[in-house]
Amino acid sequence: MTQTTTGIQTFRIVVFGLTFGMLVFQCVTDEWTHFGGPFRHLTIWGLTASTISAWFMLQLSMGWSAARREVFASVTVVLNLTVLLMYWKIYFEDPSLFYGVDGAPAPWYEEYFLHGLGPAMQIFDALFVLGVFTRIRAVAAWVIALPVLYLSWIEFVIRPLNFDPVGSVTNGLPYLFLNNLDVAGRAIFYLTTTVTMLVLMLLAWGLAALIKKVRPSSPEASRSAPTAP
C-alpha cells in the first residue's frame, strides 16, 4: 500500500500524537515511588515500542525517511498482542491478581487505551498499511530476546530494589500475582509466556501473509528494502 497518501499521513499523525501523549502522561503522572516507575510494566514497554514504531511510520509517510523498519514494527505487533492477551485473560479471571483485593484499575480512558485502542492502532497500521513480517527469522530472534530482557529486568533489577507489591512468596515484582509464585512457578509462567509470544508471532505472520496475498503490494513497497530495527 502507498505510504504517503494524505489519509495515511493524517492517520499516522493521530496515532503518533496519541501514543506519545499517553507515554508522556504515564511518565509524568507516575509517582516514581517504585524503582523503574511505569517501566516496571510490560504494558509500558508495549506503549514505548508503539510510540517508536508510530514515529518510524510517520517518518516514512512524510518522506523524512525511506526506512520501513519492518522488523521493529513486527516485534511490536507481537508485544502488543501479548499485552492484550495476557492482560484481559488475567483480568477476566480475577482482577485482584493485578490490583489486589482493595485495589482498583486506572481510569477507564487509561485502561482502554493501554489495553485496547493503543495496541490496536499499531497492529492495524503494521499489518494492513505498512505490511510486515517479511523477515521472520529476524523477528523470531527479537521475539525470543524480548521476554528474556524484560524478565531479567523485573527479576534481577526491579524485584531486589522494590518492597511492594507484597505477595505470599516474595515481593517487588511489578504484578501482584507473580509475588505469590515460587521460583519454579514463575519459571513455568515465564516459559509459557515466551511460548505464547512465539505462537502469536506465527499467527500474525500468517495473517500478514494472507493480507499480502489478497492485496497486491504497491510499487513503493517493492522498491523499499527492509531494514533492521
Side-chain angles (χ1 to χ4, degrees):
M1 178 180 290
T2 302
Q3 304 292 308
T4 55
T5 64
T6 301
I8 291 177
Q9 288 176 342
T10 302
F11 172 70
R12 286 177 169 167
I13 289 171
V14 171
V15 172
F16 176 72
L18 289 174
T19 53
F20 179 73
M22 180 57 74
L23 180 59
V24 171
F25 179 78
Q26 293 297 311
C27 291
V28 170
T29 58
D30 192 282
E31 297 180 355
W32 292 88
T33 53
H34 297 85
F35 181 83
F39 296 96
R40 295 174 301 131
H41 298 104
L42 187 64
T43 297
I44 304 304
W45 280 43
L47 176 62
T48 303
S50 290
T51 303
I52 296 171
S53 184
W55 173 245
F56 287 154
M57 294 180 188
L58 180 60
Q59 284 184 310
L60 181 64
S61 284
M62 303 303 290
W64 301 334
S65 172
R68 293 170 61 84
R69 306 292 183 181
E70 292 182 28
V71 173
F72 189 93
S74 302
V75 175
T76 304
V77 166
V78 178
L79 176 56
N80 278 325
L81 288 172
T82 304
V83 168
L84 291 174
L85 176 64
M86 300 300 290
Y87 177 82
W88 290 110
K89 177 179 180 296
I90 295 172
Y91 181 85
F92 284 123
E93 287 179 356
D94 185 357
S96 68
L97 295 175
F98 280 132
Y99 309 111
V101 176
D102 300 320
W108 66 268
Y109 53 86
E110 284 187 61
E111 290 293 339
Y112 288 133
F113 187 91
L114 292 173
H115 305 112
L117 179 62
M121 289 191 301
Q122 191 275 331
I123 293 168
F124 174 82
D125 196 344
L127 289 175
F128 291 92
V129 183
L130 182 65
V132 290
F133 289 97
T134 59
R135 299 176 58 194
I136 191 61
R137 291 184 180 179
V139 174
W142 279 100
V143 167
I144 293 171
L146 186 60
V148 173
L149 291 172
Y150 177 73
L151 298 174
S152 297
W153 163 246
I154 65 172
E155 280 286 347
F156 303 122
V157 180
I158 295 301
R159 184 173 62 87
L161 294 177
N162 288 293
F163 296 103
D164 56 28
V166 177
S168 59
V169 176
T170 187
N171 58 273
L173 291 166
Y175 298 105
L176 179 59
F177 71 92
L178 290 177
N179 295 285
N180 295 327
L181 300 175
D182 59 17
V183 173
R186 296 201 303 275
I188 293 172
F189 179 79
Y190 296 157
L191 178 60
T192 301
T193 301
T194 303
V195 171
T196 298
M197 291 184 72
L198 289 170
V199 171
L200 291 173
M201 179 197 71
L202 293 174
L203 292 174
W205 180 32
L207 177 58
L210 179 61
I211 292 169
K212 290 171 186 173
K213 185 175 181 180
V214 300
R215 185 185 64 197
S217 60
S218 67
E220 175 184 303
S222 63
R223 290 194 304 265
S224 301
T227 58

